């Protein structure tokens, strides 16, 4: 009960962090639904679109350490708001695209930067900073689940708009959702003024980066969990990007 009482003052920050993860991850996982319409309407092939999503993942990974360093130097609010603006710019670029360059710039680079600055790593870092160790795992699990909930919301929403209007209107509808991340990021930025929780002297949070890496690599459970993320590219990204167009082509062939 004392732990729950301790997080009550920072509950708005934790809720805002969940909102950020819900929308940012949900939007990202819904982009593949628009691939059939985009590739039929403008001079973009399936390979071009898939390459843009692949670039998005690479940009996300390469920019993540930079975003973490920037958050330590300038604070979470500045980095996360910048990430949201990049995310919104990327979605607008995709919604107004008329060729490969705009698709790669929007869905690839800008959304990738946005994911690095305002998605999993940032929101979970905020959680780790504010939540007591005794309930941290549970809190991280609850917030992480918000990303999956986001896909359940944004995908039907985007498909509804596309079916009644067109893919551009649908993407602008997703842009409207992305804008809601801005106030959430501003609220999460309050963490910069919150004093970090005091941990014990032997807590891993006090380790240097090199020592922490060495310690984690000696933990078989962590190594297995880290290797499991490599499966994500072959199943999750495939299902959310290429699988929708495969179903679309199958339906077209049948009918």
């Amino acid at each position: 009960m004392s732990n729950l009482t301790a997080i009550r003052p920072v509950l708005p920050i934790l809720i805002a962090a969940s909102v950020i993860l819900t929308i940012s991850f949900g939007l990202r996982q819904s982009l593949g639904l628009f691939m059939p319409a985009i590739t039929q309407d403008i001079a973009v092939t399936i390979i071009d679109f898939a390459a843009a999503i692949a670039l998005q993942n690479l940009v996300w990974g390469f920019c993540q350490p930079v975003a973490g360093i920037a958050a330590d130097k300038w604070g979470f609010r500045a980095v996360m708001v910048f990430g949201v603006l990049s995310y919104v710019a990327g979605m607008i670029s995709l919604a107004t695209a008329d060729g490969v360059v705009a698709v790669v710039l929007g869905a690839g680079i800008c959304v990738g930067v946005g994911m690095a600055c305002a998605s999993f790593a940032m929101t979970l870092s905020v959680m780790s900073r504010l939540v007591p160790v005794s309930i941290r795992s549970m809190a991280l699990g609850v917030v992480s689940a918000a990303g999956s909930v986001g896909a359940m919301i944004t995908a039907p929403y985007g498909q509804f708009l596309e079916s009644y209007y067109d893919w551009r209107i649908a993407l602008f509808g997703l842009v409207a959702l992305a804008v809601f991340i801005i106030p959430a990021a501003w609220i999460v930025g309050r963490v910069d003024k919150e004093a970090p929780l005091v941990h014990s002297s032997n807590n891993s949070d006090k380790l240097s980066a090199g020592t922490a890496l060495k310690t984690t690599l000696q933990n078989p459970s962590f190594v297995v969990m880290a290797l499991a993320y490599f499966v994500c590219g072959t199943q999750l990204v495939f299902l959310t990007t290429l699988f929708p167009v495969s179903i679309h082509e199958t339906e077209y062939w049948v009918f």
Side-chain angles (χ1 to χ4, degrees):
M1 183 63 68
S2 59
N3 289 326
L4 296 178
T5 303
I7 67 172
R8 188 172 298 167
V10 296
L11 193 58
I13 298 177
L14 303 181
I15 293 175
S18 299
V19 170
I20 292 174
L21 189 56
T22 297
I23 299 177
S24 64
F25 213 70
L27 293 179
R28 171 192 179 254
Q29 291 181 307
S30 302
L31 295 181
L33 297 173
F34 304 100
M35 184 193 294
I38 292 176
T39 54
Q40 291 176 10
D41 195 34
I42 61 177
V44 174
T45 66
I46 294 175
I47 294 177
D48 294 332
F49 194 96
I53 301 301
L55 179 62
Q56 174 195 116
N57 285 270
L58 291 174
V59 171
W60 179 8
F62 283 123
C63 290
Q64 192 67 82
V66 179
I69 294 172
D72 285 337
K73 186 173 183 179
W74 292 300
F76 282 93
R77 175 172 289 170
V79 174
M80 297 185 80
V81 170
F82 171 78
V84 177
L85 294 177
S86 176
Y87 207 128
V88 171
M91 295 297 294
I92 293 175
S93 177
L94 182 60
T96 59
D98 58 1
V100 178
V101 174
V103 172
V104 171
L105 177 63
I109 297 175
C110 290
V111 172
V113 171
M115 291 294 295
C117 297
S119 185
F120 260 113
M122 290 294 132
T123 55
L124 298 187
S125 294
V126 169
M127 294 288 293
S128 299
R129 184 184 178 95
L130 300 176
V131 177
V133 175
S134 57
I135 59 171
R136 182 182 292 176
S137 295
M138 180 188 70
L140 293 177
V142 171
V143 174
S144 298
S148 300
V149 173
M152 295 174 60
I153 297 173
T154 56
Y157 169 65
Q159 281 191 310
F160 172 80
L161 292 177
E162 184 181 11
S163 62
Y164 277 89
Y165 300 100
D166 59 24
W167 64 271
R168 293 188 188 275
I169 297 297
L171 283 173
F172 274 114
L174 298 187
V175 170
L177 278 182
V179 170
F180 279 104
I181 311 177
I182 298 177
W186 192 264
I187 294 173
V188 170
R190 295 178 187 173
V191 70
D192 297 326
K193 298 181 180 180
E194 294 286 340
L197 295 175
V198 178
H199 301 302
S200 60
S201 58
N202 62 346
N203 189 271
S204 60
D205 289 358
K206 295 181 178 293
L207 298 178
S208 65
T211 304
L213 179 61
K214 181 178 179 180
T215 301
T216 54
L217 291 179
Q218 293 174 345
N219 187 322
S221 298
F222 176 85
V223 173
V224 172
M225 182 180 68
L227 292 175
Y229 276 93
F230 286 90
V231 181
C232 180
T234 57
Q235 59 169 354
L236 181 58
V237 178
F238 166 77
L239 290 175
T240 58
T241 305
L242 296 175
F243 192 59
V245 73
S246 300
I247 295 178
H248 181 271
E249 290 181 350
T250 301
E251 291 177 348
Y252 179 81
W253 180 80
V254 171
F255 293 101

